[in-house]
Amino acid sequence: MEFADFADRVAAIEAETADLEITSLVADLFVEAGDDLPVVARLLLGRVVPAWESTTLDVGPSLCHAALARAAGPNVTADDVADRLAEAGEIGAVAESLDLDGQQGLAAFGADGPDSLTVAEVAAQLRDLATASGSGSRDRKVDLLFDLFNRADPLGARYLARLVLSEMRIGVGEGTVRDAIASAFDVPVDAVERALQVTNDYGAMAVRARDEGEAGLDAADLEIGRPVQAMLAETGTAADAVEAWERVAVETKYDGARVQVHHDPAGETRVFSRNLEDVTDALPELVEFAEDLDVPAILDGEALAVDDAGDPLPFQEVLRRFRRKHDVAQMREEITVEFRAFDCLHADGVDLLDTPLLDRRDHLSNVLAPVDSDAGGLSPLTVAEDVDAIADHESRALEAGHEGIMLKNPESTYTPGKRGQNWLKRKPDVETLDLVVTGAEWGEGRRANHLGTFLLSARVDGDDFATIGKVATGITDERLAELSDRLEPLITEQNGTDVTIEPKVVFEVGYEEIQTSPTYESGYALRFPRFVAVREDKSPADADSLARIEGLVES
Ligand code: AMP
C-alpha cells in the first residue's frame, strides 16, 4: 500500500466522529491492507513496533524539527519549524504545510520511481531509525527521517510527524482496533480481546484473525519475553469479599511498582512494568533473583524499595530506580529494591491464565523453591473465612509498614488487563472517629481471659455518652492483652460476659459507613468498624461528638 493512500484513509478516519463509523472505516482499511496489515494495525495506534518491544524511536521534537527543516529546503530552519508549531499547536499541521518536495534524499527514488513511498518502506525505515544507536546516531536518525519527509506527500508528512513524536491522536484506540479486527475478519470480539491480552501484539493478532480465524486466536499462547497486561483490582471491603466468595485469599498490598519477570533458563531474563515497558536494565537485582529459577516462568509481583532493615519505603523511592537508564549501579547503592512475587502466569511450559489462583500459587511456590536471594521472594497468602481473620492480616501488614491488603477470589483465573471483581484492594480507611470505650465483653476460647469486644460511644453533652457500635477487629492478640490490662481496672459493673467501663479511654476507629440503626443509643451504627489506635493524647471530652457524627451522615 502506498503511504499516500494510507494517509488519505487516516485523514478520513480522523475526520469522522461517530465511533461505529470509525470502526467500520478501520475495518475496511484492514480488509484492504494485504501484506501491510500488521504494520497498518500498529501505525493506527501510533506504534512502529509492538508496545512491549524494548526498541523505541527516541525521536524528540528537536530531531523531528531538524529533519523537517532540511526537507523543506535552505530557507527553513529548525527554529522556524518550532515557531510554526507554536502557532499551529500540533506538529502534523506544520509538516503538512511545509513544502517538503524536491530535496535530494538518501533514497529519493524508491523502487517504484520518484515520490513513491510505501507503508512497508516507512515501517522498515522507522525500524532502522529505532535501532540506530551509538555515536553519530542522531545524524543518522535525522538523515532517515529527512528522507521519509522528503518522499512523503503533505498528508503523509502530517501523519509521519505525528507518528514519530507519538502524537497520532486520530481517535483510534485499542478498543477500536479490537472491534475492527473482529468486524473485518468476522471473528468474535471476545476471541480477539483474549488474544490481544495474551500477546499485546495488535499487528500479529490482526493477521491471525484474518488467516486462521477464531481457532487461531484461541491458540495464542504466552511467550517468555513478551509481557502480558497485568490483572487489576477494584476497591472493595472485607465484608464484600467474604459474602462473595466465602473463602478469601488475603495478601499484603505493597506500596511499590508492579513488575512482571520473564525468565528462560536457556535464554535471558526480562522485567516489564505495568505499562509493558522493558525495565530490565534498571532493576539488575530482579535479574539476579531470577537466575536461581530452574524452569521457564512468568512471575507477577511488586518491586518494593526497602531500607537497611528491610522495612518498606514509600512508592516514590522505587520510582527513582524504575526507568533509570544511567548510573544504575550507583542508584542501586542508594535504594535497595526487592521483588515480592504474588502470581505465576507460566511455569515450565504450561500457561496458567486459566488456572485458579490457589493452584497458580502452588506453581509459584514450586517455581520459587530454588531461589535463595536477598532480592525478594514469595509474598505470603492466607486464606480467611471471616472479616476478623482478614482484619488480623491487615493489622500485621499495616504494622509492618505496608499499604494495606489485597483480597482475592481463590477460585479466580488470571484476567489480563481487567479491573475485575476477583481482586479487591483494601487500603486503610481514610475516615476514622475518636470514640470513648464505655463497655466491653469478655472474649471466648483463646481470648477468654481478655476483654474482647469493645463498646464505643460518642460524646453527647458534658459527661454524657451515647453508644454507637462495637469494635472487635483490627486488634492483634498482643494488643488485646495490653488493652485488657488497661481497661479491667475501669470496670464498674458486670452482667454475664458484658461489662460497663468508666469512660476514660479513647479509641481511634476506622469504619466504612455510618448507618442509622435502632440498636445503639445514638441512633447510628458503624459499618465494619476497626480498631486503629488508642488516642493517648485525647480525653473523653475530646472525643467526637454525636453532633459531628450527625453532620457526617448528612454530608
Ligand atoms: P492500585 O494501584 O491502587 O490500583 O492497586 C493495585 C496495585 O497494587 C497493583 O497493580 C499492584 O501494583 C499493587 N499490589 C501490591 N501488592 C499486591 C498484591 N499482593 N497483589 C496484587 N497487586 C498488588
Side-chain angles (χ1 to χ4, degrees):
M1 177 178 263
E2 292 295 319
F3 193 67
D5 293 340
F6 171 73
D8 278 345
R9 307 290 287 258
V10 175
I13 292 167
E14 189 183 5
E16 183 55 59
T17 51
D19 288 347
L20 276 180
E21 201 46 42
I22 293 175
T23 307
S24 129
L25 289 172
V26 174
D28 292 346
L29 178 56
F30 285 171
V31 169
E32 290 162 39
D35 290 346
D36 294 321
L37 177 59
V39 173
V40 164
R42 281 180 207 128
L43 291 188
L44 285 181
L45 289 169
R47 290 179 196 147
V48 175
V49 293
W52 44 269
E53 274 192 26
S54 51
T55 330
T56 51
L57 275 184
D58 242 348
V59 171
S62 79
L63 197 149
C64 177
H65 298 176
L68 274 172
R70 203 156 121 207
N75 299 328
V76 181
T77 65
D79 285 347
D80 296 335
V81 175
D83 289 347
R84 286 193 189 218
L85 175 60
E87 228 168 85
E90 71 95 12
I91 196 67
V94 176
E96 188 178 358
S97 72
L98 291 166
D99 181 10
L100 299 176
D101 286 7
Q103 303 302 311
Q104 189 62 42
L106 285 186
F109 302 101
D112 302 331
D115 292 327
S116 118
L117 180 64
T118 64
V119 167
E121 281 173 302
V122 169
Q125 198 139 318
L126 287 178
R127 222 175 221 288
D128 283 353
L129 197 148
T131 46
S133 65
S135 71
S137 66
R138 188 178 191 279
D139 290 347
R140 166 107 183 110
K141 284 183 175 187
V142 175
D143 282 349
L144 287 165
L145 203 50
F146 154 70
D147 179 63
L148 286 176
F149 281 132
N150 201 25
R151 293 164 62 196
D153 70 337
L155 260 188
R158 165 171 160 160
Y159 294 113
L160 256 177
R162 290 203 200 163
L163 187 63
V164 296
L165 290 181
S166 309
E167 293 174 12
M168 204 58 175
R169 299 196 196 119
I170 52 168
V172 173
E174 293 178 347
T176 315
V177 172
R178 176 201 59 205
D179 293 352
I181 293 174
S183 139
F185 307 119
D186 203 16
V187 285
V189 175
D190 287 354
V192 183
E193 166 136 323
R194 187 200 154 272
L196 289 173
Q197 284 167 349
V198 170
T199 65
N200 281 299
D201 192 332
Y202 284 77
M205 288 310 108
V207 172
R208 216 178 248 232
R210 182 188 65 191
D211 299 347
E212 299 168 44
E214 187 177 355
L217 292 172
D218 288 348
D221 281 337
L222 297 179
E223 201 176 282
I224 308 250
R226 190 183 59 199
V228 187
Q229 282 175 33
M231 181 161 174
L232 302 171
E234 287 276 5
T235 316
T237 70
D240 293 341
V242 172
E243 210 174 297
W245 317 316
E246 287 173 22
R247 291 189 324 149
V248 180
V250 191
E251 294 175 18
T252 299
K253 184 171 194 293
Y254 304 101
D255 192 12
R258 188 80 172 262
V259 283
Q260 209 171 85
V261 175
H262 289 235
H263 178 72
D264 177 0
E268 52 174 9
T269 302
R270 308 289 334 156
V271 183
F272 299 95
S273 73
R274 176 167 161 169
N275 300 332
L276 314 183
E277 245 178 283
D278 188 325
V279 291
T280 314
D281 294 341
L283 302 168
E285 49 271 81
L286 268 57
V287 177
E288 289 159 21
F289 172 94
E291 271 161 13
D292 287 348
L293 304 177
D294 49 24
V295 293
I298 302 177
L299 307 177
D300 188 8
E302 195 86 343
L304 180 69
V306 295
D307 64 16
D308 292 344
D311 292 328
L313 293 170
F315 171 63
Q316 288 74 8
E317 296 298 314
V318 80
L319 276 197
R320 293 176 58 205
R321 287 281 316 273
F322 218 59
R323 285 186 187 80
R324 186 159 276 273
K325 296 212 166 77
H326 310 289
D327 305 325
V328 171
Q330 187 193 329
M331 275 313 276
R332 186 176 173 180
E333 295 281 304
E334 252 179 70
I335 300 166
T336 305
V337 169
E338 288 183 2
F339 177 48
R340 304 290 161 96
F342 53 69
D343 218 317
C344 183
L345 313 189
H346 177 100
D348 202 8
V350 185
D351 284 356
L352 300 171
L353 295 181
D354 296 330
T355 305
L357 170 65
L358 291 187
D359 296 335
R360 295 203 305 279
R361 292 286 305 211
D362 288 343
H363 284 279
L364 180 62
S365 305
N366 292 339
V367 167
L368 292 182
V371 174
D372 177 21
S373 165
D374 292 339
L378 182 70
S379 160
L381 173 149
T382 46
V383 177
E385 294 184 8
D386 56 46
V387 289
D388 286 1
I390 294 174
D392 273 354
H393 192 121
E394 184 174 38
S395 311
R396 284 196 304 274
L398 294 176
E399 260 166 45
H402 296 297
E403 195 184 11
I405 49 171
M406 295 287 299
L407 305 173
K408 299 182 179 177
N409 177 352
E411 310 293 332
S412 59
T413 58
Y414 194 97
T415 44
K418 285 265 172 65
R419 201 174 279 291
Q421 287 295 335
N422 281 323
W423 284 16
L424 300 177
K425 56 187 168 189
R426 224 190 97 68
K427 295 182 191 169
D429 296 305
V430 262
E431 294 296 340
T432 60
L433 286 172
D434 295 330
L435 299 166
V436 184
V437 182
T438 54
E441 290 166 24
W442 289 106
E444 290 173 354
R446 114 189 117 93
R447 291 179 161 191
N449 296 327
H450 298 315
L451 291 172
T453 304
F454 303 93
L455 185 65
L456 304 165
S457 294
R459 191 163 50 81
V460 182
D461 276 315
D463 288 343
D464 259 0
F465 298 96
T467 56
I468 186 165
K470 290 178 182 171
V471 66
T473 49
I475 313 177
T476 56
D477 282 358
E478 219 179 341
R479 177 58 67 84
L480 200 64
E482 260 172 53
L483 291 175
S484 227
D485 289 350
R486 171 98 181 261
L487 292 164
E488 241 186 281
L490 302 176
I491 294 176
T492 55
E493 234 184 283
Q494 175 141 350
N495 188 355
T497 53
D498 289 346
V499 300
T500 306
I501 289 183
E502 199 183 331
K504 287 255 184 223
V505 176
V506 178
F507 278 9
E508 181 180 352
V509 177
Y511 62 93
E512 263 154 24
E513 214 182 322
I514 305 174
Q515 298 170 317
T516 52
S517 157
T519 313
Y520 297 105
E521 294 156 5
S522 61
Y524 297 107
L526 299 180
R527 182 158 185 250
F528 198 44
R530 268 181 353 285
F531 173 84
V532 177
V534 178
R535 289 302 300 254
E536 305 289 0
D537 55 329
K538 287 200 167 182
S539 69
D542 305 317
D544 279 310
S545 66
L546 190 54
R548 169 155 195 263
I549 290 164
E550 278 162 359
L552 285 173
V553 172
E554 266 166 40
S555 69

